[in-house]
Amino acid sequence: MAGDGPILEAAGIVRDFAGVRALDHVSLTVGRGEVHAVVGQNGAGKSTLVKVLSGIYRPAAGTLRVAGRRVTFASPRDAERAGIGTIHQQANLIPQMSVARNLLLGREPRRHGLIHVARMNELADDIVRRIGLRIDVRRPLASYSAGTRQLMAVARAVAASSSVVIMDEPATGLDVADLDRLYTTIARAREAGRSIIYVSHRLAEIERICERVSVLRDGRLVHTGPLANLSRLRLVSLMLGRRPAGAAGATHPPGMDTPSTGTAAEPADPPILQATGLTRRHVLTDVSINLRSGEVVGLSGLLGAGRSETAKAIAGALPLDSGQVTVSGKDLRRRSVIAAVRAGVGLLPQDRTTEGIIANLSVRDNIVLAALPRLTRAGIVSNARLDRIVDTFMTRLRIKATSPDQPAAQLSGGNQQKVLLARWLAMHPRVLLLDEPTRGIDIGTKTEVQALIDDLAVEGLAVLLISSDLEEIIGTCDRVVVLRDGAVVRQLGGDDITENNLMSLLAGG
Ligand SMILES: Nc1ncnc2c1ncn2[C@@H]1O[C@H](COP(=O)(O)OP(=O)(O)OP(=O)(O)O)[C@@H](O)[C@H]1O
Ligand SMILES: [Mg+2]
């Protein structure tokens, strides 16, 4: 590579959306072989910047240089040709096509104008092996989990001969083992002289893999510099524009001291939800979980351990070969989502863009959608009441939108997630199944969400919390059920919920 100036320079970038200045004269300089973090609260402008750098948006003002040369991108292809590869927050893969095809999308090897399938599969096999995954590249991408698909997106961008790889929250959906693969992939890319722009909300991760950081706040660049010597508190203050209220980590609800026996002793009172012997061939084997009113129970496990499947099974969204779910002692015999919702069981699914947000509906409608039947008295809904609910959740979850009437599609990724969370909370369910509720949510709101979960438990809700964030599990849960290969391996309670215990159980030690 010629020259040793910065590989990428963005200067004075401006981008407006109707009424919102998403980027206000933002500049970013990335050195060769550098891993550069971009951080900021939900809606700060990170994904918008990524989209400008990758040719999806044209900036209203500002300039871009790659290896010192001035460039303008009319399309994502232009950016790719200039050596910028991107993994977007909402991965742009095609689930119905094979893994191989997805990996080489747009760069498929051809012979006589046709895709050379054997060669394509060979190349794909090689890419997959290099990131340490053992999967069949001929199978459709859809047959693999969200985490695997995310790793695919990473592998795809790194495999393209890009000099800069931009990753917008690539760790989303990855468990501990896959995270390691991601870090290895990044380390290799860097050894090969590539630069990486890394957008993430996980500060520990950033401290581990990045050298420099740029902080965005309300569309402005408020800081850029080396990560060494920058304390976590200072970084968070820069993001929030204030000192964080209380350090990270939620509080335990009082009076839930479980004795520290080897296998967690469950409280004596009857559970509100009883799932017994949930079984589905190759997916779940005899999984039983009880939830009591006021309890937050964690569900831990690696990717593929069956966490999301367990939640879906309880919510009636996954057909079972056998098993039983009762709510307040009543058997949910008709196993369907509607039956579960009627019984007061709500599920916040993991894959929120495809399983939740209705893009062209307003923020307001997205929030009240599910609560509407409950709020309707004789077919009449009081608008004032709806407004109050929408207002409460928008404030409490700090949903950044121009107004409740803004289409949900226009919100940043993290804010869309908050809208979905608000939808389920507005329903006042008796049992709430949360699949990675704080993933992609900024640190300022994360503690707020965790505190909200605590409050809801105190008000009598039973919560099942799936989270790959061990700190969150430890800080929020009264009990933890650990799954491996679709079966329960252990329950932990009280003082036994420690990072060491969880790690060794997850890993199968
Ligand atoms: N297509 C759009 N139309 C209108 N406004 C938009 C659009 N895309 C983004 N915005 C607004 O621009 C601002 C920045 O959004 P952006 O997606 O860049 O945030 P982000 O930093 O990536 O947040 P997150 O951490 O939630 O992913 C937000 O206020 C968002 O609502
Ligand atoms: Mg984003």
Side-chain angles (χ1 to χ4, degrees):
M1 225 177 273
D4 39 29
I7 185 72
L8 180 75
E9 285 170 282
I13 301 292
V14 173
R15 169 75 205 200
D16 294 319
F17 294 107
V20 181
R21 177 147 287 194
L23 295 175
D24 189 359
H25 296 91
V26 170
S27 299
L28 182 76
T29 303
V30 180
R32 290 168 201 263
E34 174 179 293
V35 183
H36 194 114
V38 174
V39 301
Q41 285 190 275
N42 294 135
K46 304 178 300 290
S47 294
T48 306
L49 180 62
V50 166
K51 286 175 188 163
V52 167
L53 297 178
S54 60
I56 291 182
Y57 291 154
R58 301 194 70 166
T63 57
L64 293 178
R65 279 170 204 283
V66 175
R69 280 238 306 277
R70 178 77 192 272
V71 290
T72 51
F73 301 147
S75 74
R77 288 230 49 121
D78 285 355
E80 275 176 25
R81 257 184 241 124
I84 299 178
T86 308
I87 302 144
H88 291 284
Q89 191 170 10
Q90 268 102 16
N92 42 354
L93 299 173
I94 303 159
Q96 298 81 6
M97 298 198 322
S98 74
V99 170
R101 190 75 199 279
N102 271 288
L103 281 173
L104 295 158
L105 216 56
R107 296 179 282 118
E108 301 91 344
R110 289 177 186 270
R111 198 168 50 180
H112 312 306
L114 297 175
I115 294 177
H116 191 333
V117 177
R119 178 90 192 103
M120 178 175 79
N121 289 342
E122 243 170 65
L123 288 172
D125 248 342
D126 190 49
I127 296 170
V128 168
R129 242 180 294 115
R130 262 187 283 152
I131 56 169
L133 278 179
R134 260 181 283 147
I135 59 174
D136 184 352
V137 299
R138 287 154 203 83
R139 286 182 59 188
L141 188 66
S143 45
Y144 294 100
S145 66
T148 304
R149 297 206 298 261
Q150 184 64 18
L151 269 182
M152 290 293 106
V154 173
R156 176 172 176 244
V158 173
S161 50
S162 343
S163 46
V164 181
V165 180
I166 308 177
M167 306 186 179
D168 194 352
E169 303 208 23
T172 301
L174 300 193
D175 65 26
V176 193
D178 279 337
L179 268 179
D180 264 344
R181 295 192 180 104
L182 173 67
Y183 298 150
T184 313
T185 311
I186 289 174
R188 293 226 181 102
R190 189 175 173 187
E191 278 159 26
R194 289 176 188 166
S195 309
I196 287 156
I197 297 176
Y198 197 86
V199 180
S200 173
H201 289 290
R202 307 177 179 206
L203 301 184
E205 174 179 286
I206 282 173
E207 284 161 4
R208 177 171 162 189
I209 62 176
C210 302
E211 302 157 69
R212 294 211 309 142
V213 62
S214 290
V215 183
L216 291 181
R217 189 169 72 228
D218 291 331
R220 294 201 186 89
L221 180 78
V222 293
H223 177 88
T224 190
L227 262 164
N229 308 325
L230 188 66
S231 76
R232 176 93 57 104
L233 189 66
R234 170 100 180 102
L235 188 57
V236 173
S237 307
L238 283 165
M239 285 166 56
L240 305 188
R242 59 183 158 82
R243 284 182 78 81
T251 50
H252 262 287
M256 301 295 291
D257 288 340
T258 325
S260 86
T261 50
T263 329
E266 285 188 29
D269 50 320
I272 180 163
L273 179 120
Q274 247 175 319
T276 322
L278 307 181
T279 300
R280 178 181 159 94
R281 253 190 95 205
H282 302 310
V283 180
L284 297 175
T285 315
D286 199 22
V287 172
S288 298
I289 289 177
N290 294 331
L291 297 179
R292 282 167 189 76
S293 162
E295 251 192 329
V296 182
V297 174
L299 193 55
S300 263
L302 298 180
L303 190 68
R307 291 171 303 173
S308 298
E309 290 77 6
T310 300
K312 281 188 183 164
I314 294 174
L318 181 85
L320 290 173
D321 298 329
S322 61
Q324 194 189 27
V325 176
T326 65
V327 180
S328 309
K330 257 183 61 192
D331 189 3
L332 287 186
R333 203 160 298 133
R334 292 241 323 284
R335 312 258 316 108
S336 72
V337 175
I338 292 172
V341 169
R342 285 225 180 95
V345 179
L347 166 68
L348 177 77
Q350 181 185 16
D351 195 351
R352 285 179 272 260
T353 45
T354 55
E355 296 180 33
I357 277 287
I358 301 171
N360 47 7
L361 279 190
S362 68
V363 170
R364 172 199 162 92
D365 290 347
N366 265 288
I367 291 178
V368 296
L369 196 68
L372 226 39
R374 190 179 56 84
L375 299 169
T376 310
R377 292 265 151 71
I380 301 160
V381 198
S382 142
N383 269 324
R385 178 133 185 249
L386 284 187
D387 285 343
R388 219 164 38 238
I389 291 172
V390 170
D391 189 57
T392 308
F393 286 111
M394 286 186 69
T395 311
R396 258 203 103 167
L397 296 176
R398 296 191 204 160
I399 295 174
K400 191 182 170 197
T402 49
S403 86
D405 299 317
Q406 192 176 11
Q410 296 181 359
L411 265 54
S412 77
N415 281 298
Q416 291 186 5
Q417 271 172 246
K418 293 181 195 173
V419 167
L420 277 180
L421 187 58
R423 178 189 297 169
W424 288 110
L425 296 176
M427 265 183 67
H428 279 287
R430 287 194 288 172
V431 178
L432 193 55
L433 316 169
L434 300 173
D435 200 348
E436 304 280 1
T438 63
R439 174 193 295 160
I441 287 186
D442 66 62
I443 184 153
T445 314
K446 198 164 173 167
T447 29
E448 191 72 26
V449 171
Q450 288 166 348
L452 201 58
I453 294 174
D454 269 354
D455 287 355
L456 291 166
V458 170
E459 285 164 22
L461 190 79
V463 180
L464 183 71
L465 175 69
I466 300 179
S467 172
S468 299
D469 180 345
L470 291 185
E471 252 175 63
E472 178 164 276
I473 290 275
I474 295 163
T476 318
C477 298
D478 305 303
R479 273 190 296 133
V480 181
V481 174
V482 183
L483 293 181
R484 203 191 305 139
D485 298 328
V488 176
V489 287
R490 185 87 170 267
Q491 265 197 53
L492 295 174
D495 293 340
D496 289 332
I497 308 177
T498 64
E499 184 158 339
N500 270 344
N501 283 349
L502 282 169
M503 290 287 271
S504 70
L505 284 171
L506 292 179

